Amino acid sequence: MKEGPRYKLALKRRRQGKTDYHLRYKLVISQKPRAVVRKTNKYILVQIVEFDAKGDKVIAAAHSKELSKLYKWKGYGKNICAAYLTAYLAGLRARQKGIKEVVLDIGLQTPVKGSRVFASLKGLLDAGIKVPHSDDILPDEERIKCGSISKWAQDLKENNPEFYKRQFSKQLERLPPEELSKHFEEVLNTIKSSFSNISLEGDRQ
């Protein structure tokens, strides 16, 4: 370990590779709530967080586990479709708490155009939350709505049924993958109807 009067030990979370304090500082000085998007091997978590000197306060949040528990989602909990729906749900909950604008916090994740992180961003925008962004980084509508998965699954089912069964073995236990696009719209409409007290007209950015 380095020693000497000029050596400064990095903060614990920085040493562990969990927090980029330089990035966090820039987000905090914006004085806007942060939309914290995190992903695990199975799920997506979106939290609307306000800074507090004693510890960040979570104002609103949504976990992709909730999609299946509350809204009968039958797709996976970690794909682009689930990322969008989870963030959309978090965005509506944030609006109920009076939150209108946030900044996106992706932590140490590498920003990749069209990724799950930016599908979450699109979900927040469509829920009526203002977030500084460039439209170039957002996934296209077909991917967000599971259209690309449904088309690919239908093609495999018709032309390579054995591979279709292997590729979608887990999904077939819940719902045929070619039906995911239609199912996505049903779940999205169910979420909207559960927040009927919030006007969604003209909210899309």
Side-chain angles (χ1 to χ4, degrees), residues 26-28 30-36 101-106 124 129-132:
K26 291 195 294 184
L27 293 173
V28 168
S30 72
Q31 297 185 333
K32 297 176 183 176
R34 300 177 352 257
V36 179
E101 186 172 2
V102 302
V103 291
L104 184 65
D105 180 352
I106 66 171
L124 291 170
I129 302 292
K130 294 181 180 179
V131 191

Side-chain angles (χ1 to χ4, degrees), residues 147-161:
S148 54
I149 296 176
S150 293
K151 287 182 179 179
W152 183 46
Q154 185 63 43
D155 182 66
L156 286 179
K157 185 178 181 180
E158 295 172 357
N159 299 300
N160 195 341

Side-chain angles (χ1 to χ4, degrees), residues 59-186:
I59 306 303
H63 195 292
S64 57
K65 274 185 180 180
E66 296 180 86
L67 298 178
S68 57
K69 290 182 179 179
L70 301 179
Y71 301 101
K72 311 303 181 185
W73 171 244
K74 296 179 182 179
Y76 291 122
K78 64 176 182 178
N79 60 15
I80 282 181
C81 317
Y84 173 91
L85 290 171
T86 302
Y88 188 81
L89 177 59
L92 293 180
R93 287 173 174 172
R95 286 187 56 190
Q96 281 188 324
K97 299 291 182 66
I99 303 297
K100 298 179 180 179
E101 186 172 2
V102 302
V103 291
L104 184 65
D105 180 352
I106 66 171
L108 298 176
Q109 300 174 77
T110 301
V112 177
K113 179 180 177 180
S115 65
R116 286 174 287 175
V117 167
F118 296 125
S120 296
L121 168 59
K122 177 62 172 169
L124 291 170
L125 294 169
D126 286 353
I129 302 292
K130 294 181 180 179
V131 191
H133 71 286
S134 167
D135 287 341
D136 294 340
I137 62 176
L138 302 175
D140 60 50
E141 289 287 334
E142 186 174 54
R143 292 185 68 204
I144 284 174
K145 296 180 178 180
C146 295
S148 54
I149 296 176
S150 293
K151 287 182 179 179
W152 183 46
Q154 185 63 43
D155 182 66
L156 286 179
K157 185 178 181 180
E158 295 172 357
N159 299 300
N160 195 341
E162 290 302 318
F163 182 69
Y164 166 83
K165 291 177 183 178
R166 291 198 305 272
Q167 181 68 28
F168 296 107
S169 58
K170 294 294 184 181
Q171 179 60 55
L172 285 166
E173 296 174 4
R174 308 175 188 179
L175 182 79
E178 60 272 20
E179 297 179 17
L180 275 173
S181 182
K182 179 182 177 182
H183 178 59
F184 172 91
E185 293 290 352
E186 293 171 346

Side-chain angles (χ1 to χ4, degrees), residues 1-9:
M1 179 181 288
K2 293 182 179 180
E3 296 179 353
R6 289 182 154 186
Y7 178 68
K8 183 178 180 181
L9 184 65

